[in-house]
Amino acid sequence: MTEPKRSKRVKPDPELVKLADALLANYQKPEDLIGENGLLKQLTKMLVERALETEMTEHLGHGMSGAVTNSTGNTRNGHSAKTLQGDFGELPLDIPRDRQGAFEPQLVAKHQTRWSGFDDKIISLYARGLSVREIQGHLEEMYGTEVSPTHFGSHGCRERGCEGLAGPSARSAVPNSLSGLYPRQSA
């Protein structure tokens, strides 16, 4: 039997290697990188906020201290606080605002409260038969975030037709899209 060929390792950009080395200069334990206030969370916050500022510059047509060049006279108007839920736990962000309220961020949309994929993970836990309390405990343990029981009914599960999946006793209510996971039991 022949082994599959391994793809060649792509060499990273030397500038990014230097940046990574500088960022990891004080690395001592995994928590420094992936912990509650670890480097990954700090970098995510910084990069998202910088990208949002770039989106605002594009929207307005001028930089932060630049002359107003748009025909409406719209300018920056501070920031709004927002907290996103995601794989990394809670991520507090400062979202830029404009005076006319016309800015529609693309990276983090208005009224968005979580990174994509988070709801799918919760639904997956439902499909596996975990109760709401068990899911709450799992989210708190894994991501350091508290989620109220009312959250489960109001964020994504109803729209996807899986509100009846909370726990093993509800397996007969599994929607057709998940029937392969829990075959319907005859009464």
Side-chain angles (χ1 to χ4, degrees), residues 96-163:
R97 295 185 312 217
D98 64 334
R99 292 205 178 272
Q100 296 175 354
F103 178 52
E104 294 284 341
Q106 300 301 303
L107 183 59
V108 179
K110 286 184 177 180
H111 309 292
Q112 180 179 345
T113 58
R114 55 182 79 260
W115 290 105
S116 61
F118 193 78
D119 286 338
D120 293 334
K121 289 179 183 176
I122 291 174
I123 290 170
S124 172
L125 294 172
Y126 268 115
R128 292 178 182 192
L130 270 68
S131 70
V132 170
R133 298 282 180 220
E134 290 169 326
I135 293 172
Q136 281 179 290
H138 177 71
L139 294 174
E140 187 170 355
E141 183 180 308
M142 293 298 294
Y143 305 119
T145 184
E146 291 183 31
V147 181
S148 73
T150 58
H151 165 84
F152 295 99
S154 63
H155 285 89
C157 207
R158 285 197 183 123
E159 299 86 50
R160 292 186 176 115
C162 59
E163 62 273 2

Side-chain angles (χ1 to χ4, degrees), residues 12-145:
D13 181 334
E15 291 298 317
L16 290 177
V17 171
K18 287 180 188 176
L19 176 62
D21 289 343
L23 290 171
L24 294 171
N26 295 324
Y27 175 79
Q28 295 177 357
K29 57 190 180 299
E31 291 78 29
D32 295 342
L33 184 63
I34 57 175
E36 179 63 29
N37 293 311
L39 181 61
L40 286 177
K41 191 169 183 179
Q42 293 176 39
L43 277 174
T44 301
K45 176 180 173 56
M46 182 185 70
L47 290 171
V48 168
E49 288 178 347
R50 300 274 283 182
L52 290 168
E53 290 294 345
T54 301
E55 285 184 31
M56 177 62 85
T57 297
E58 182 69 25
H59 169 71
L60 295 174
H62 58 84
M64 195 173 291
S65 300
V68 177
T69 57
N70 60 57
S71 60
T72 62
N74 198 5
T75 59
R76 284 176 165 75
N77 190 28
H79 295 82
S80 294
K82 176 182 268 196
T83 302
L84 286 182
Q85 299 287 334
D87 294 343
F88 41 75
E90 293 183 348
L91 181 67
L93 294 172
D94 292 322
I95 309 294
R97 295 185 312 217
D98 64 334
R99 292 205 178 272
Q100 296 175 354
F103 178 52
E104 294 284 341
Q106 300 301 303
L107 183 59
V108 179
K110 286 184 177 180
H111 309 292
Q112 180 179 345
T113 58
R114 55 182 79 260
W115 290 105
S116 61
F118 193 78
D119 286 338
D120 293 334
K121 289 179 183 176
I122 291 174
I123 290 170
S124 172
L125 294 172
Y126 268 115
R128 292 178 182 192
L130 270 68
S131 70
V132 170
R133 298 282 180 220
E134 290 169 326
I135 293 172
Q136 281 179 290
H138 177 71
L139 294 174
E140 187 170 355
E141 183 180 308
M142 293 298 294
Y143 305 119
T145 184

